[in-house]
Amino acid sequence: MTEPGRIPPLFAGLVDDAALFPPGNLPLQDAVAAHRAHRAAWYSDLVGPFVAGTAHLSGLAELADPEKPLRVVAVVAGGAAGVGPAVRTVMETPGLVLAGVEAAGEPGEIVAAFHEHVPEDFAGAVEVPGGDSLDADLDLIAETRHRAKFRTGGTTADAFPSAARLAAFVDGCVRRRLPFKLTAGLHHAKAYVDPDTGFAHHGFLDVLGMLPQEPEARSLFVSFGSCSIAEPLGDLIALGLVVPPTDPKEQHA
């Protein structure tokens, strides 16, 4: 039985806070304030680090508060060349704590940049496109301490991979025991078609269902980035997998 006001271990840290990114596009100051509120709420164990792109980092540094450290995943633009500057900005700013770094580009170059700039006790996430290069890309990443990352949506229909393409990525990671992250489009627990855009979204519970049973599932599926915390939380509540606190005051804490 799920305990009221508690996030089950299967969902702990599952949703990285990507409120700055489309389609949410929350202004930086509002996104930081909202993240701090999530971290103080009863469901805080569901919420992972704050996700910030390269373009956000200078503004984020100005908002940093050493008395309220903010765990940050830096999403690097510009391929391998952008890794070093992004990591340094976060690590050298009091009040920001590096929680991870993610980048897209030629996987060998990204891995080399991670090894050069990312501390040894951190794992970077290498975004791969899937398709014909999938096996080679996952083989390369699996030989390192780093993770794979796969895009499951976006602002155009072609940004959403087919179910077969997503399953191929997940299966490839499972066979290699390679941890992975997902990004974009996973707003809800189960697959659905957005009535406004017509885009077919995947569901995060469907992804968990592709994996070996817990705790192995979460040792592989690290997290997914979402511009909304409320939507995945609401779905888990509606399905009875998370139960809000019985005290109304705690529900709004």
Side-chain angles (χ1 to χ4, degrees):
M1 180 176 177
T2 302
E3 183 180 356
R6 297 289 182 270
I7 298 297
L10 181 61
F11 308 124
L14 181 62
V15 188
D16 290 345
D17 187 353
L20 292 171
F21 293 83
N25 296 313
L26 207 61
L28 181 58
Q29 190 165 357
D30 294 343
V32 170
H35 182 75
R36 296 197 189 284
H38 293 317
R39 297 301 308 159
W42 66 268
Y43 55 83
S44 61
D45 285 349
L46 176 69
V47 184
F50 186 76
V51 183
T54 301
H56 306 127
L57 293 180
S58 60
L60 189 61
E62 294 177 3
L63 295 174
D65 182 350
E67 296 184 359
K68 299 178 181 178
L70 191 69
R71 296 180 64 243
V72 176
V73 170
V75 179
V76 177
V83 171
V87 170
R88 285 193 296 273
T89 296
V90 176
M91 295 190 67
E92 294 173 2
T93 301
L96 300 184
V97 177
L98 185 68
V101 58
E102 305 175 0
E106 198 286 313
E109 295 178 0
I110 298 298
V111 165
F114 283 171
H115 284 167
E116 181 177 358
H117 299 290
V118 179
E120 291 185 3
D121 53 344
F122 284 88
V126 184
E127 184 173 329
V128 299
D132 293 342
S133 67
L134 179 64
D135 282 332
D137 292 343
L138 296 184
D139 282 343
L140 186 154
I141 300 166
E143 293 297 321
T144 74
R145 69 179 189 271
H146 303 296
R147 302 164 175 164
K149 176 183 174 183
F150 192 68
R151 189 163 294 276
T152 49
T155 57
T156 59
D158 60 3
F160 291 80
S162 66
R165 196 177 180 97
L166 174 58
F169 170 79
V170 173
D171 179 67
C173 291
V174 170
R175 287 188 286 107
R176 295 167 175 82
R177 310 304 299 167
L178 174 62
F180 66 88
K181 302 183 72 173
L182 299 176
T183 186
L186 290 180
H187 300 158
H188 291 286
K190 305 296 291 182
Y192 70 102
V193 175
D194 188 303
D196 295 325
T197 64
F199 299 159
H201 291 245
H202 301 285
F204 62 85
L205 287 187
D206 298 326
V207 176
L208 282 169
M210 299 177 187
L211 298 166
Q213 295 301 302
E214 62 172 310
E216 291 180 86
R218 288 306 311 282
S219 70
L220 294 176
F221 185 10
V222 178
S223 63
F224 67 93
S226 175
C227 65
S228 169
I229 301 298
E231 289 175 332
L233 174 63
D235 278 14
L236 291 174
I237 292 172
L239 291 167
L241 299 173
V242 168
V243 179
T246 54
D247 185 342
K249 294 181 180 178
E250 293 182 43
Q251 293 183 27
H252 300 288

